Every structure is written in structure tokens, then in C-alpha cells.
Amino acid sequence: MDIPLKKKRFTTKKIAIIGGSVLIVALIVFVLISSTGKSKLNVEKERISISEVKKGNFQENIPVNGVVLPIKTIYLDAMEGGRVEERFVEDGKMMEKGEPIIRLSNTDLELSLVNQETSVYNLLTQMQISQNAARQNTINRRNNLTDVENQFVEAKRLYKLNEKLYKKGAVGKQDFLESKNNYNYQKEKLNLARQVLAQDSTAVNQEARQAKESYQRTRKALQLMRKKVEDLVVRAPIDGQLTALDAEIGQSKSKGERLGQIDVVSAYKVRAEIDEHYISRIFNGQRGEFNFNGKKFQLEIKKVYTQVSNGRFQVDMHFLEEAPDKIRRGQSLQIKLALSQEKEAVLVSKGGFFQQTGGNWIFKISEDGESAYRTPIQLGSQNTEYYEVLGGIEPGDRVITSSYSNFGEIEELVFN
């Protein structure tokens, strides 16, 4: 007897046909979506930040951190090495110029001073002895010249007399020639005596000048040595506050070692650190501003330190007017440093969108406010609040400026 077989509802052939149909439908859907060119994502409007593009005054600036410092600092270094014997004041004291801070002792230096003083005394004594001898020698030569002059006058008188008498035949030729020879001899002797006295005078003057110069050099060396001994007492070079004093009684200090510093606290400056990326755009005269106790204060760059350390360089900025009353040394300030002149530009608020887009595109809100779509843009300079818009969006447009990290490659956002 034949048993009727139950007909299967899903055969292998039917399953294959259904699967193929599903794939075809999926492919058609994918093609349709691709042809539209827009992938959409539903978002809650409350979770995003929307800003309006506007036109206004724009100035490129960067945020920098600054530290308040005294307007001037003088470092105290040991001019001469020695042992700390006395400490006259404590760290933090307000000092007047010339007021002693510490006293060092240096026996070698003090002994050198005594030796130098002895050298000066010995040289002075030797100079006096030499001057007395030269003076006596000059006196002797002048006396000798006087005698020679007197002998010359007598020889001349006798020669002239004998010359007259010889012509009259009153004296013999021998007596006449003898007086003539003696006259010529005394004449030459007088010239020689005068030359010797002149040379002696020149030599004495030269010797005196050399001795004086030697004495002056020795005296100058003595003054320098005394100055070195005086430098063992370290004094305040200017009026100001003594800080960072590092000197304890009994401690040995080497020549040139840092002992402390004097800060002029009558005024302040701000030292700021800037990224090396901007080093070619920073120069004296640029200005910055900061807020302090609800008021704005302006600073101006006075000195640029071009040495780069850890990717940053430093500048000193001075207050254009009086510094804030309650500002203190070491206080940190957040400064907006201007890099350009103020101009009118199209502006968009800064936000997290820049990290994902690089400023190449932005989500622009549709006219009905129900969605947002990708829009290519061009951005220029920036400051702490805005980007300068060069193209792509116009004043009055509304854009999403919050982070796009959750949007992936979505091209259109639909608001719930």
C-alpha cells in the first residue's frame, strides 16, 4: 500500500532563492544609500554646542603663562673666597645700598695685603734715598760749574791783559801763549761742565719720573689688594630685598660662588614662556593683557631670550601702567599675547570640532534647524576665543562647534 509523502514547505532550492533575493535587496538598498551620498545619524540637540558665525574685530593672540618677578635682580657672588665669619642680616631683610650682609676671612689675602704695604713702604724709602742722592749730586755739579766759570773768567781776564801787553812788548811771548792756552782750556772745561750738568739734570728727571711711575703702579696694586680685602665684607649693591641668602657661619665659600641676591621690589615684571613655534613672530614692543581682580592690565615685551629649552623660550614683559596693588612675586598669570593688529573678520567660536576636522569642514545647521550637514570651510588665524573664517560659511550661519569624536564618517546629523 502506498503511503502518501508530506510535501516539504521549504526546500533547499527555495532557501537559496530567498537568500539570493535578500542579498539583491540589500545590495539595492546599499546602492540607493550610496547614490544619495549621505549617511545620517540621529543626535540629541541638547548634547551638542551650536554657535553662530559672526563678523567682528579680530586679533590673533596666543595664551601664555607668566610668573611675576622683581623688576631687577642683582646677584651676590663671592668676589674673594673665604670662611664665613659673621652674618649681619637674615634672608628677606630690606637692605640699603652699602649695608653689610656677611663677612668672610681669608688669611692668605690678608697676608698678601701686609706684604704689599711693606713693598710700597720700602719703595717709597728707596725713592727718597735716591732723590736725596740725586739732589746732592746736582748740588755738587753746580758747585763745580761755579768754580769752572770762575776759573774761566780769570783765565779770560789774564789772556786779554797779556794780549795787550804783548802787543806793547811788556810781556814775553811765552807768558802770552801760556795765558792764551789756559783761556782756551778753561773755555772747553766750562762747556764740558755745562754739558755734564745738563745731562745730569735730564738723567735725574728721567729717573725721578720712572721712580714715580713705579711707585704709582705699586700704590695701585696696593689699592687693588685693599679692595680685595674689603670685598671680604659682602655689602648690598643696591636698595632692595635680600633673598636666597646661602651663607652660614663657618662655611667656606669659593671665589665666584653665589651667596644670594638683592631684588628691587619697588616694581615688577612678568617672565613668560612661549612655544618655540612662535619664536620668529615674537619681538620687543608686542603687547599682552591679563585679568586680575576683575580688571584688565596690559604688558609689553621688553626683552626676548632666544635660547630654547624643552621646546620653549622666555620673554620679559613690563607693565604699561602701575602693577596691580595686591600682586606678589611668584604669582602666576594667564596672559593673552597679541601676534597681530586688530582687524575686521568673519569669526567662528573655538571648540572641539577642530581636533577631528583640522579646520577643513564643519557641521552647518540647516535652515529649518532640524539637521546639520558637512560643509567644507577654510580657517585662517586664531586667538583664545575664535577662528578666523576665510571661506565656506558666512555671518549668520549656525554651526556645531563641540567635539565630533562620536560622529565618525557621518555626513548628516538629524536632531531628535
Side-chain angles (χ1 to χ4, degrees):
M1 177 178 178
D2 294 333
I3 299 175
L5 296 176
K6 187 176 182 180
K7 190 176 182 180
K8 293 182 177 180
R9 189 173 181 182
F10 294 100
T11 64
T12 302
K13 185 176 180 180
K14 285 185 177 181
I15 293 174
I17 293 172
I18 294 173
S21 300
V22 171
L23 289 175
I24 293 172
V25 171
L27 180 61
I28 293 172
V29 172
F30 175 77
V31 171
L32 289 174
I33 293 176
S34 299
S35 63
T36 61
K38 294 184 179 179
S39 52
K40 299 181 180 180
L41 179 68
N42 292 330
V43 296
E44 296 182 8
K45 206 170 186 178
E46 293 76 13
R47 294 181 177 273
I48 59 175
S49 298
I50 298 176
S51 301
E52 183 176 341
V53 181
K54 63 182 182 179
K55 195 170 188 177
N57 293 329
F58 174 79
Q59 185 178 52
E60 184 181 3
N61 58 49
I62 56 174
V64 297
N65 294 322
V67 178
V68 179
L69 298 175
I71 191 67
K72 187 177 183 180
T73 296
I74 303 296
Y75 294 103
L76 301 174
D77 295 337
M79 301 298 293
E80 299 295 333
R83 180 179 181 273
V84 180
E85 294 292 341
E86 288 185 83
R87 178 168 166 162
F88 302 105
V89 295
E90 296 299 324
D91 196 27
K93 184 179 183 301
M94 297 301 297
M95 306 293 297
E96 294 183 359
K97 183 179 180 179
E99 189 175 353
I101 299 173
I102 62 172
R103 181 177 69 84
L104 304 174
S105 65
N106 187 322
T107 54
D108 292 338
L109 197 61
E110 293 166 355
L111 180 60
S112 297
L113 175 61
V114 174
N115 293 335
Q116 190 68 33
E117 289 175 335
T118 303
S119 298
V120 172
Y121 176 76
N122 291 338
L123 181 60
L124 181 61
T125 303
Q126 185 63 38
M127 282 179 58
Q128 292 174 344
I129 294 174
S130 298
Q131 288 175 355
N132 291 334
R135 190 179 300 110
Q136 186 61 44
N137 185 55
T138 300
I139 293 173
N140 293 335
R141 292 186 184 279
R142 287 184 177 277
N143 288 334
N144 180 62
L145 177 62
T146 302
D147 292 340
V148 172
E149 286 177 340
N150 183 62
Q151 293 172 3
F152 169 74
V153 171
E154 181 61 23
K156 182 178 180 181
R157 184 192 66 78
L158 184 59
Y159 164 65
K160 295 295 183 182
L161 177 62
N162 285 342
E163 184 179 24
K164 293 179 181 179
L165 294 175
Y166 175 70
K167 290 179 180 180
K168 295 179 179 180
V171 296
K173 184 177 182 179
Q174 181 64 28
D175 292 336
F176 168 69
L177 292 176
E178 183 177 352
S179 62
K180 181 180 181 180
N181 289 337
N182 186 49
Y183 166 72
N184 291 331
Y185 168 73
Q186 293 299 333
K187 183 177 181 181
E188 291 296 327
K189 188 176 181 180
L190 176 61
N191 291 334
L192 180 60
R194 287 173 175 172
Q195 290 178 10
V196 169
L197 182 61
Q199 292 175 357
D200 179 71
S201 178
T202 301
V204 169
N205 291 336
Q206 184 177 0
E207 183 179 352
R209 184 173 63 254
Q210 291 175 347
K212 185 178 180 180
E213 291 175 354
S214 177
Y215 176 71
Q216 289 176 344
R217 287 195 298 269
T218 308
R219 286 276 299 176
K220 188 174 182 180
L222 175 60
Q223 291 173 356
L224 292 175
M225 187 61 66
R226 285 175 176 169
K227 179 66 169 57
K228 285 186 175 183
V229 174
E230 291 174 0
D231 287 339
L232 291 175
V233 178
V234 181
R235 301 178 182 273
I238 55 174
D239 296 344
Q241 185 178 26
L242 174 65
T243 58
L245 180 61
D246 180 17
E248 300 296 335
I249 294 179
Q251 190 176 11
S252 294
K253 294 294 182 180
S254 302
K255 183 176 181 179
E257 186 173 347
R258 181 63 47 83
L259 302 175
Q261 63 189 51
I262 299 290
D263 296 331
V264 178
V265 294
S266 57
Y268 294 96
K269 65 181 178 182
V270 176
R271 180 160 295 173
E273 288 194 343
I274 305 175
D275 191 283
E276 63 178 332
H277 173 74
Y278 297 100
I279 194 168
S280 61
R281 303 186 62 188
I282 301 299
F283 50 87
N284 291 344
Q286 282 180 294
R287 296 185 178 184
E289 64 177 26
F290 68 95
N291 291 321
F292 189 83
N293 289 340
K295 295 182 179 180
K296 286 187 176 182
F297 294 87
Q298 286 195 323
L299 299 165
E300 183 176 84
I301 294 178
K302 291 295 185 180
K303 185 174 182 180
V304 179
Y305 300 89
T306 55
Q307 183 179 0
V308 177
S309 177
N310 297 324
R312 308 185 75 79
F313 66 100
Q314 295 180 329
V315 298
D316 282 346
M317 307 182 73
H318 290 191
F319 292 91
L320 287 181
E321 298 177 352
E322 292 294 328
D325 292 336
K326 296 182 180 181
I327 203 164
R328 293 293 180 266
R329 174 184 177 175
Q331 192 165 0
S332 296
L333 301 176
Q334 299 294 322
I335 305 166
K336 291 194 296 185
L337 179 62
L339 298 181
S340 68
Q341 298 296 323
E342 195 173 77
K343 62 181 179 180
E344 191 174 45
V346 178
L347 308 176
V348 62
S349 298
K350 298 186 74 172
F353 76 94
F354 190 87
Q355 279 68 38
Q356 281 74 42
T357 70
N360 296 315
W361 59 273
I362 199 168
F363 276 115
K364 178 180 175 182
I365 307 298
S366 62
E367 293 184 1
D368 59 11
E370 298 297 326
S371 63
Y373 53 91
R374 282 195 186 203
T375 301
I377 60 172
Q378 288 180 305
L379 300 182
S381 302
Q382 60 178 297
N383 57 29
T384 54
E385 298 177 354
Y386 298 102
Y387 292 110
E388 178 189 14
V389 179
L390 302 180
I393 48 179
E394 301 293 337
D397 291 341
R398 294 189 302 156
V399 294
I400 299 175
T401 54
S402 53
S403 175
Y404 295 177
S405 59
N406 296 325
F407 298 161
E409 298 299 324
I410 300 299
E411 296 191 8
E412 184 177 356
L413 303 177
V414 179
F415 300 138
N416 294 331

